[in-house]
Amino acid sequence: MRNTSDIVVMTDHSSTEGSSAQLARAVELVTGAAPLMVDARHFYDGGTGVLRLGVRPTLVVPSENVEVRPCALVIYEIPPGDRHRFTRFQAAVARSGIPCLGADAQAWRNATDKRCTVDRFRTEGIPQEESLILNRPTWHTALTAFDRLGRDVWTRPAIGFGGRDVCHVTTEAQLHAALELYQKSGSSWLLTRDAGNFDEHGRRHQYRVVVLGERVLRVCEHVQHNPEAPCNEAQGAVSTVLAPDALPQHLLELAIRATASVGLSFGGVDLVPERGGAVFEVNVHPVLDVPQGLETVSVPFVLTHLTDAAAHGPTRYESLRPHR
């Protein structure tokens, strides 16, 4: 059985998103050594993985013959629909003292469940388009909400992924189709007033701003040629990397405040500049396998874990900087 003290990168290995490979590369670039990759599914409720607490907390995965004392734990690429199965483990990590930016289950829930996000934004004064939450509504309830928001809305499941099951609704027939869609899946859902986020060419656009603490790491503009489709790369939007100073300072500050409002120190913020700026959501795990994602996001994310590790005690990594 392996028994080491090392950096552990923990992701759901069923995911095909590609962020885990980027994080592994980042760890090796920073430290000169590959991390130990662990499948997060072992630590979902019902899994056989164990975190033994104590002076030297130890991760154990009997089926993989792994026993490791992490100096830092990098958690990423946990699908939104499975995050509720991970909360007990996150609580154990928080108690363990292992440096980890992914140990706050409540912050994850605030960002993952859009009902919580809407409430947190409202409480913290984060500008957002008006949203109404529907939980197994009748047709009359849905229609009343549709009328209240001006009959030009986007519907989305309370817990979604990659822009799936997000619909632009401007007619009663479209609203009825959305109602049936969410009834079949059993999802609570939201109606959100259309932001009118069109560029000078009539295309939908929004910005993804990746935040770490008080820093903006990366800015992308997403442009969607189909005005009826979500402005999401997974749904066909075109992404262009911008210099952070391409956005006005007040939007950068808004992204930082929005991330903090849900309790996260790291996140990918989707926002638009229209009418002074409005935030759609904060993503717990923005995709890292993107142009310049390694340099701009993955490496700083890993460095933060290792800086925290050094602050908690001796570390075998003498220099926390990318190796050349």
PDB file of all heavy atoms in Angstrom, residues 39-49 78 81-92:
ATOM      1  N   ASP A  39      -9.968   9.300  -7.592  1.00  0.00           N
ATOM      2  CA  ASP A  39     -11.338   9.407  -8.072  1.00  0.00           C
ATOM      3  C   ASP A  39     -12.253   9.835  -6.926  1.00  0.00           C
ATOM      4  O   ASP A  39     -12.378   9.121  -5.912  1.00  0.00           O
ATOM      5  CB  ASP A  39     -11.802   8.062  -8.642  1.00  0.00           C
ATOM      6  CG  ASP A  39     -13.104   8.160  -9.427  1.00  0.00           C
ATOM      7  OD1 ASP A  39     -13.873   9.120  -9.203  1.00  0.00           O
ATOM      8  OD2 ASP A  39     -13.364   7.264 -10.254  1.00  0.00           O
ATOM      9  N   ALA A  40     -12.891  10.992  -7.086  1.00  0.00           N
ATOM     10  CA  ALA A  40     -13.766  11.527  -6.038  1.00  0.00           C
ATOM     11  C   ALA A  40     -14.936  10.611  -5.726  1.00  0.00           C
ATOM     12  O   ALA A  40     -15.501  10.668  -4.627  1.00  0.00           O
ATOM     13  CB  ALA A  40     -14.284  12.903  -6.450  1.00  0.00           C
ATOM     14  N   ARG A  41     -15.332   9.767  -6.672  1.00  0.00           N
ATOM     15  CA  ARG A  41     -16.492   8.910  -6.445  1.00  0.00           C
ATOM     16  C   ARG A  41     -16.293   7.961  -5.271  1.00  0.00           C
ATOM     17  O   ARG A  41     -17.266   7.523  -4.655  1.00  0.00           O
ATOM     18  CB  ARG A  41     -16.819   8.121  -7.721  1.00  0.00           C
ATOM     19  CG  ARG A  41     -17.312   9.010  -8.862  1.00  0.00           C
ATOM     20  CD  ARG A  41     -17.519   8.219 -10.140  1.00  0.00           C
ATOM     21  NE  ARG A  41     -16.247   7.691 -10.656  1.00  0.00           N
ATOM     22  CZ  ARG A  41     -16.146   6.926 -11.732  1.00  0.00           C
ATOM     23  NH1 ARG A  41     -17.239   6.572 -12.388  1.00  0.00           N
ATOM     24  NH2 ARG A  41     -14.962   6.502 -12.144  1.00  0.00           N
ATOM     25  N   HIS A  42     -15.047   7.673  -4.913  1.00  0.00           N
ATOM     26  CA  HIS A  42     -14.793   6.849  -3.727  1.00  0.00           C
ATOM     27  C   HIS A  42     -15.251   7.547  -2.456  1.00  0.00           C
ATOM     28  O   HIS A  42     -15.483   6.884  -1.425  1.00  0.00           O
ATOM     29  CB  HIS A  42     -13.298   6.531  -3.609  1.00  0.00           C
ATOM     30  CG  HIS A  42     -12.758   5.643  -4.692  1.00  0.00           C
ATOM     31  ND1 HIS A  42     -13.236   4.369  -4.910  1.00  0.00           N
ATOM     32  CD2 HIS A  42     -11.784   5.855  -5.614  1.00  0.00           C
ATOM     33  CE1 HIS A  42     -12.564   3.817  -5.917  1.00  0.00           C
ATOM     34  NE2 HIS A  42     -11.686   4.702  -6.367  1.00  0.00           N
ATOM     35  N   PHE A  43     -15.391   8.879  -2.516  1.00  0.00           N
ATOM     36  CA  PHE A  43     -15.719   9.654  -1.325  1.00  0.00           C
ATOM     37  C   PHE A  43     -17.130  10.235  -1.373  1.00  0.00           C
ATOM     38  O   PHE A  43     -17.501  11.017  -0.498  1.00  0.00           O
ATOM     39  CB  PHE A  43     -14.667  10.748  -1.119  1.00  0.00           C
ATOM     40  CG  PHE A  43     -13.311  10.171  -0.826  1.00  0.00           C
ATOM     41  CD1 PHE A  43     -12.424   9.894  -1.860  1.00  0.00           C
ATOM     42  CD2 PHE A  43     -12.942   9.865   0.466  1.00  0.00           C
ATOM     43  CE1 PHE A  43     -11.190   9.333  -1.597  1.00  0.00           C
ATOM     44  CE2 PHE A  43     -11.697   9.304   0.739  1.00  0.00           C
ATOM     45  CZ  PHE A  43     -10.816   9.029  -0.296  1.00  0.00           C
ATOM     46  N   TYR A  44     -17.898   9.862  -2.392  1.00  0.00           N
ATOM     47  CA  TYR A  44     -19.322  10.177  -2.375  1.00  0.00           C
ATOM     48  C   TYR A  44     -19.992   9.329  -1.288  1.00  0.00           C
ATOM     49  O   TYR A  44     -19.443   8.301  -0.855  1.00  0.00           O
ATOM     50  CB  TYR A  44     -19.967   9.843  -3.722  1.00  0.00           C
ATOM     51  CG  TYR A  44     -19.588  10.736  -4.883  1.00  0.00           C
ATOM     52  CD1 TYR A  44     -20.008  10.409  -6.179  1.00  0.00           C
ATOM     53  CD2 TYR A  44     -18.838  11.887  -4.722  1.00  0.00           C
ATOM     54  CE1 TYR A  44     -19.679  11.205  -7.266  1.00  0.00           C
ATOM     55  CE2 TYR A  44     -18.515  12.694  -5.803  1.00  0.00           C
ATOM     56  CZ  TYR A  44     -18.927  12.347  -7.076  1.00  0.00           C
ATOM     57  OH  TYR A  44     -18.607  13.138  -8.153  1.00  0.00           O
ATOM     58  N   ASP A  45     -21.181   9.741  -0.866  1.00  0.00           N
ATOM     59  CA  ASP A  45     -21.935   8.930   0.088  1.00  0.00           C
ATOM     60  C   ASP A  45     -22.050   7.501  -0.443  1.00  0.00           C
ATOM     61  O   ASP A  45     -22.407   7.285  -1.603  1.00  0.00           O
ATOM     62  CB  ASP A  45     -23.334   9.505   0.299  1.00  0.00           C
ATOM     63  CG  ASP A  45     -23.303  10.835   1.033  1.00  0.00           C
ATOM     64  OD1 ASP A  45     -22.267  11.166   1.636  1.00  0.00           O
ATOM     65  OD2 ASP A  45     -24.334  11.544   1.010  1.00  0.00           O
ATOM     66  N   GLY A  46     -21.725   6.534   0.390  1.00  0.00           N
ATOM     67  CA  GLY A  46     -21.784   5.138  -0.015  1.00  0.00           C
ATOM     68  C   GLY A  46     -20.488   4.604  -0.575  1.00  0.00           C
ATOM     69  O   GLY A  46     -20.364   3.392  -0.808  1.00  0.00           O
ATOM     70  N   GLY A  47     -19.508   5.494  -0.834  1.00  0.00           N
ATOM     71  CA  GLY A  47     -18.214   5.057  -1.343  1.00  0.00           C
ATOM     72  C   GLY A  47     -17.357   4.450  -0.246  1.00  0.00           C
ATOM     73  O   GLY A  47     -17.640   4.589   0.949  1.00  0.00           O
ATOM     74  N   THR A  48     -16.278   3.793  -0.645  1.00  0.00           N
ATOM     75  CA  THR A  48     -15.417   3.100   0.320  1.00  0.00           C
ATOM     76  C   THR A  48     -14.223   3.935   0.757  1.00  0.00           C
ATOM     77  O   THR A  48     -13.443   3.500   1.608  1.00  0.00           O
ATOM     78  CB  THR A  48     -14.903   1.777  -0.273  1.00  0.00           C
ATOM     79  OG1 THR A  48     -14.172   2.052  -1.478  1.00  0.00           O
ATOM     80  CG2 THR A  48     -16.061   0.838  -0.590  1.00  0.00           C
ATOM     81  N   GLY A  49     -14.046   5.116   0.186  1.00  0.00           N
ATOM     82  CA  GLY A  49     -12.940   5.978   0.584  1.00  0.00           C
ATOM     83  C   GLY A  49     -13.135   6.510   1.993  1.00  0.00           C
ATOM     84  O   GLY A  49     -14.263   6.738   2.444  1.00  0.00           O
ATOM     85  N   ILE A  78     -16.389  18.079 -10.052  1.00  0.00           N
ATOM     86  CA  ILE A  78     -17.453  17.292  -9.423  1.00  0.00           C
ATOM     87  C   ILE A  78     -18.764  17.735 -10.065  1.00  0.00           C
ATOM     88  O   ILE A  78     -19.147  18.899  -9.952  1.00  0.00           O
ATOM     89  CB  ILE A  78     -17.514  17.525  -7.904  1.00  0.00           C
ATOM     90  CG1 ILE A  78     -16.137  17.338  -7.273  1.00  0.00           C
ATOM     91  CG2 ILE A  78     -18.554  16.600  -7.284  1.00  0.00           C
ATOM     92  CD1 ILE A  78     -15.542  15.969  -7.408  1.00  0.00           C
ATOM     93  N   GLY A  81     -24.901  17.650 -10.226  1.00  0.00           N
ATOM     94  CA  GLY A  81     -25.915  16.734  -9.722  1.00  0.00           C
ATOM     95  C   GLY A  81     -25.419  15.784  -8.656  1.00  0.00           C
ATOM     96  O   GLY A  81     -26.222  15.142  -7.968  1.00  0.00           O
ATOM     97  N   ASP A  82     -24.095  15.666  -8.504  1.00  0.00           N
ATOM     98  CA  ASP A  82     -23.523  14.755  -7.513  1.00  0.00           C
ATOM     99  C   ASP A  82     -22.938  15.477  -6.308  1.00  0.00           C
ATOM    100  O   ASP A  82     -22.468  14.824  -5.367  1.00  0.00           O
ATOM    101  CB  ASP A  82     -22.424  13.898  -8.157  1.00  0.00           C
ATOM    102  CG  ASP A  82     -22.968  12.853  -9.107  1.00  0.00           C
ATOM    103  OD1 ASP A  82     -23.996  12.245  -8.768  1.00  0.00           O
ATOM    104  OD2 ASP A  82     -22.379  12.657 -10.187  1.00  0.00           O
ATOM    105  N   ARG A  83     -22.959  16.785  -6.308  1.00  0.00           N
ATOM    106  CA  ARG A  83     -22.288  17.521  -5.230  1.00  0.00           C
ATOM    107  C   ARG A  83     -22.934  17.285  -3.868  1.00  0.00           C
ATOM    108  O   ARG A  83     -22.246  17.316  -2.842  1.00  0.00           O
ATOM    109  CB  ARG A  83     -22.237  19.018  -5.574  1.00  0.00           C
ATOM    110  CG  ARG A  83     -21.256  19.305  -6.697  1.00  0.00           C
ATOM    111  CD  ARG A  83     -21.277  20.736  -7.179  1.00  0.00           C
ATOM    112  NE  ARG A  83     -20.444  20.866  -8.383  1.00  0.00           N
ATOM    113  CZ  ARG A  83     -20.467  21.894  -9.208  1.00  0.00           C
ATOM    114  NH1 ARG A  83     -21.263  22.932  -8.952  1.00  0.00           N
ATOM    115  NH2 ARG A  83     -19.698  21.905 -10.281  1.00  0.00           N
ATOM    116  N   HIS A  84     -24.247  17.021  -3.847  1.00  0.00           N
ATOM    117  CA  HIS A  84     -24.896  16.761  -2.564  1.00  0.00           C
ATOM    118  C   HIS A  84     -24.394  15.470  -1.934  1.00  0.00           C
ATOM    119  O   HIS A  84     -24.489  15.290  -0.712  1.00  0.00           O
ATOM    120  CB  HIS A  84     -26.422  16.705  -2.750  1.00  0.00           C
ATOM    121  CG  HIS A  84     -26.907  15.517  -3.518  1.00  0.00           C
ATOM    122  ND1 HIS A  84     -26.786  15.416  -4.889  1.00  0.00           N
ATOM    123  CD2 HIS A  84     -27.499  14.366  -3.108  1.00  0.00           C
ATOM    124  CE1 HIS A  84     -27.291  14.260  -5.295  1.00  0.00           C
ATOM    125  NE2 HIS A  84     -27.722  13.605  -4.243  1.00  0.00           N
ATOM    126  N   ARG A  85     -23.850  14.572  -2.747  1.00  0.00           N
ATOM    127  CA  ARG A  85     -23.319  13.303  -2.240  1.00  0.00           C
ATOM    128  C   ARG A  85     -21.901  13.440  -1.706  1.00  0.00           C
ATOM    129  O   ARG A  85     -21.328  12.464  -1.206  1.00  0.00           O
ATOM    130  CB  ARG A  85     -23.340  12.248  -3.354  1.00  0.00           C
ATOM    131  CG  ARG A  85     -24.699  12.015  -3.981  1.00  0.00           C
ATOM    132  CD  ARG A  85     -24.598  11.155  -5.229  1.00  0.00           C
ATOM    133  NE  ARG A  85     -23.964   9.868  -4.952  1.00  0.00           N
ATOM    134  CZ  ARG A  85     -23.442   9.082  -5.885  1.00  0.00           C
ATOM    135  NH1 ARG A  85     -23.436   9.471  -7.159  1.00  0.00           N
ATOM    136  NH2 ARG A  85     -22.887   7.926  -5.562  1.00  0.00           N
ATOM    137  N   PHE A  86     -21.352  14.628  -1.786  1.00  0.00           N
ATOM    138  CA  PHE A  86     -19.950  14.881  -1.446  1.00  0.00           C
ATOM    139  C   PHE A  86     -19.815  15.713  -0.172  1.00  0.00           C
ATOM    140  O   PHE A  86     -18.711  15.953   0.301  1.00  0.00           O
ATOM    141  CB  PHE A  86     -19.315  15.609  -2.634  1.00  0.00           C
ATOM    142  CG  PHE A  86     -17.821  15.541  -2.730  1.00  0.00           C
ATOM    143  CD1 PHE A  86     -17.151  14.333  -2.771  1.00  0.00           C
ATOM    144  CD2 PHE A  86     -17.077  16.712  -2.818  1.00  0.00           C
ATOM    145  CE1 PHE A  86     -15.765  14.284  -2.889  1.00  0.00           C
ATOM    146  CE2 PHE A  86     -15.698  16.668  -2.937  1.00  0.00           C
ATOM    147  CZ  PHE A  86     -15.043  15.450  -2.972  1.00  0.00           C
ATOM    148  N   THR A  87     -20.949  16.154   0.388  1.00  0.00           N
ATOM    149  CA  THR A  87     -20.900  17.145   1.475  1.00  0.00           C
ATOM    150  C   THR A  87     -20.295  16.590   2.762  1.00  0.00           C
ATOM    151  O   THR A  87     -19.601  17.314   3.480  1.00  0.00           O
ATOM    152  CB  THR A  87     -22.297  17.712   1.759  1.00  0.00           C
ATOM    153  OG1 THR A  87     -23.183  16.639   2.097  1.00  0.00           O
ATOM    154  CG2 THR A  87     -22.844  18.449   0.545  1.00  0.00           C
ATOM    155  N   ARG A  88     -20.561  15.315   3.073  1.00  0.00           N
ATOM    156  CA  ARG A  88     -19.989  14.746   4.299  1.00  0.00           C
ATOM    157  C   ARG A  88     -18.464  14.710   4.215  1.00  0.00           C
ATOM    158  O   ARG A  88     -17.768  15.003   5.197  1.00  0.00           O
ATOM    159  CB  ARG A  88     -20.543  13.339   4.535  1.00  0.00           C
ATOM    160  CG  ARG A  88     -22.002  13.303   4.979  1.00  0.00           C
ATOM    161  CD  ARG A  88     -22.418  11.881   5.340  1.00  0.00           C
ATOM    162  NE  ARG A  88     -23.805  11.827   5.797  1.00  0.00           N
ATOM    163  CZ  ARG A  88     -24.857  11.706   4.992  1.00  0.00           C
ATOM    164  NH1 ARG A  88     -24.661  11.603   3.679  1.00  0.00           N
ATOM    165  NH2 ARG A  88     -26.073  11.681   5.478  1.00  0.00           N
ATOM    166  N   PHE A  89     -17.964  14.371   3.043  1.00  0.00           N
ATOM    167  CA  PHE A  89     -16.514  14.345   2.877  1.00  0.00           C
ATOM    168  C   PHE A  89     -15.943  15.760   2.981  1.00  0.00           C
ATOM    169  O   PHE A  89     -14.900  15.968   3.607  1.00  0.00           O
ATOM    170  CB  PHE A  89     -16.154  13.719   1.530  1.00  0.00           C
ATOM    171  CG  PHE A  89     -14.681  13.761   1.222  1.00  0.00           C
ATOM    172  CD1 PHE A  89     -13.797  12.987   1.945  1.00  0.00           C
ATOM    173  CD2 PHE A  89     -14.190  14.601   0.227  1.00  0.00           C
ATOM    174  CE1 PHE A  89     -12.429  13.032   1.686  1.00  0.00           C
ATOM    175  CE2 PHE A  89     -12.828  14.647  -0.041  1.00  0.00           C
ATOM    176  CZ  PHE A  89     -11.948  13.861   0.688  1.00  0.00           C
ATOM    177  N   GLN A  90     -16.607  16.733   2.388  1.00  0.00           N
ATOM    178  CA  GLN A  90     -16.119  18.110   2.484  1.00  0.00           C
ATOM    179  C   GLN A  90     -16.051  18.572   3.932  1.00  0.00           C
ATOM    180  O   GLN A  90     -15.104  19.257   4.329  1.00  0.00           O
ATOM    181  CB  GLN A  90     -17.031  19.042   1.683  1.00  0.00           C
ATOM    182  CG  GLN A  90     -16.882  18.903   0.177  1.00  0.00           C
ATOM    183  CD  GLN A  90     -17.916  19.733  -0.563  1.00  0.00           C
ATOM    184  OE1 GLN A  90     -19.099  19.409  -0.554  1.00  0.00           O
ATOM    185  NE2 GLN A  90     -17.465  20.793  -1.204  1.00  0.00           N
ATOM    186  N   ALA A  91     -17.052  18.192   4.729  1.00  0.00           N
ATOM    187  CA  ALA A  91     -17.037  18.567   6.145  1.00  0.00           C
ATOM    188  C   ALA A  91     -15.835  17.950   6.849  1.00  0.00           C
ATOM    189  O   ALA A  91     -15.197  18.586   7.697  1.00  0.00           O
ATOM    190  CB  ALA A  91     -18.337  18.125   6.811  1.00  0.00           C
ATOM    191  N   ALA A  92     -15.510  16.702   6.495  1.00  0.00           N
ATOM    192  CA  ALA A  92     -14.344  16.045   7.093  1.00  0.00           C
ATOM    193  C   ALA A  92     -13.053  16.741   6.680  1.00  0.00           C
ATOM    194  O   ALA A  92     -12.145  16.926   7.494  1.00  0.00           O
ATOM    195  CB  ALA A  92     -14.315  14.573   6.699  1.00  0.00           C
TER     196      ALA A  92
END
